[in-house]
Amino acid sequence: MTATRALVTGATGYIGGRLAGALAADGQQVSALVRGSSDPSALPEGVTAIVMPESARDLAPIIADVRPEVVYHLATCFRGGHTTDDIEPLVTANVLFGTQLAEALSAAPPRVFVNTGTVWQRDEAGGYQPAALYAATKQAMEDILRFYAGSGALRVADVKLFDTYGPGDPRGKLLALLASASDSGAALLMSPGEQLIDLLHVDDVVAALRAAADAASEPWSSWSASSGDPRTLRDLVAVFEAATGRAVPVEWGARPYRPREMFTPWDAGDPVPGWRPRVPLAEGIAQIWGAA
């Protein structure tokens, strides 16, 4: 049965905001845990902002008041690489906060906890080998949630995400860089471009997370949200050019591959039950960056 009360973390972010807005538009009672420094006006219409308490002990009364049937945990700190100064925000956002939230939720089980992981947690063969400290913290959170699921406190649906894109995306990701280079004419310095990238439209991501919440009948479930159509970086540029009618000035091989570059995305397992991607890559690109 579809829930009627949801709590979303990371709702001031791109995917979290799109998810919270979609839930509210469908009539769900949606609350968003936000930092005190966040602008609540950035939340979608119909979403209630709840400012994070200073103490984790104060989360339990909030949970008791909101009474969420499903929690979508999208709050995260992403770093493709890291410095010493990044360690505290990575651990605080990706491990500590999620653990505090799970503990508060466990007081009145069972609730569904939809967690978002990343394919960066494993190597191409599926063995645990985080590609960045960010991925290691996501794995740590997954292990902690396995404890709460195993104790009967929560029903956890862990969804591994690949790369994402969509309209109004402020994150400055790959496709936005291609559009910017096309507009400016400035050469975009790239690696040789043979690595595969799996891009999923944000509307398909939102649908996958909602389907995971509906399908979470066991204490622990782990699924993936993949386009099923990974492309090499070179091919992605070609798809972008064909879909938009824009030429992109790229200098292939001007940059080396990243350390621990993943050339073939890990097959993150079974897709979310009852879900499949619906927005083809070329169509999604054309809708956002189509020729004027």
Side-chain angles (χ1 to χ4, degrees):
M1 177 182 293
T2 301
T4 58
R5 294 186 304 278
L7 179 66
V8 181
T9 72
T12 56
Y14 181 59
I15 297 176
R18 299 281 295 205
L19 171 64
L23 295 171
D26 280 352
Q28 293 197 36
Q29 180 179 314
V30 184
S31 302
L33 274 176
V34 299
R35 297 184 182 92
S37 59
S38 298
D39 179 8
S41 67
L43 292 173
E45 184 178 354
V47 177
T48 301
I50 300 175
V51 177
M52 279 286 298
E54 293 184 6
S55 171
R57 295 185 183 90
D58 295 329
L59 271 174
I62 290 174
I63 297 301
D65 182 55
V66 174
R67 297 179 296 117
E69 297 161 283
V70 179
V71 173
Y72 296 93
H73 182 44
L74 285 93
T76 191
C77 174
F78 173 77
R79 298 287 189 275
H82 77 277
T83 66
T84 301
D85 291 340
D86 293 322
I87 293 174
E88 184 172 346
L90 280 166
V91 173
T92 299
N94 298 345
V95 183
L96 178 60
F97 171 52
T99 305
Q100 293 168 334
L101 181 59
E103 179 68 19
L105 288 163
S106 69
R111 290 190 171 96
V112 174
F113 191 111
V114 179
N115 185 56
T116 51
T118 172
V119 293
W120 282 28
Q121 288 169 230
R122 298 182 179 271
D123 61 23
E124 298 169 9
Y128 175 56
Q129 183 56 62
L133 182 60
Y134 159 75
T137 60
K138 296 294 277 187
Q139 181 67 39
M141 189 66 239
E142 179 180 324
D143 291 342
I144 289 167
L145 287 173
R146 283 183 179 271
F147 160 74
Y148 283 99
S151 67
L154 296 172
R155 280 183 284 146
V156 178
D158 181 71
V159 181
K160 296 294 189 300
L161 297 180
F162 292 70
D163 270 320
T164 58
Y165 76 102
D169 189 347
R171 296 173 296 173
K173 294 175 78 69
L174 173 61
L175 295 180
L177 293 177
L178 298 183
S180 178
S182 175
D183 289 340
S184 69
L188 191 59
L189 308 183
M190 291 282 202
S191 70
E194 298 302 326
Q195 65 271 48
L196 287 169
I197 299 174
D198 192 324
L199 278 174
L200 188 65
H201 193 279
V202 66
D203 289 349
D204 284 330
V205 178
V206 167
L209 295 174
R210 297 183 67 176
D214 291 341
S217 60
E218 302 295 328
W220 175 265
S221 302
S222 184
W223 298 304
S224 68
S226 163
S227 72
D229 185 26
R231 307 291 186 96
T232 66
L233 179 54
R234 284 179 177 266
D235 190 31
L236 274 175
V237 173
V239 171
F240 181 91
E241 291 179 323
T244 64
R246 301 179 177 194
V248 182
V250 177
E251 291 188 14
W252 296 109
R255 293 182 182 273
Y257 288 115
R258 295 174 298 187
R260 299 187 180 184
E261 186 77 56
M262 184 181 292
F263 286 88
T264 303
W266 164 50
D267 179 358
D270 294 332
V272 177
W275 169 87
R276 63 179 179 84
R278 295 184 178 276
V279 183
L281 180 61
E283 179 182 314
I285 291 173
Q287 289 173 352
I288 303 165
W289 292 283

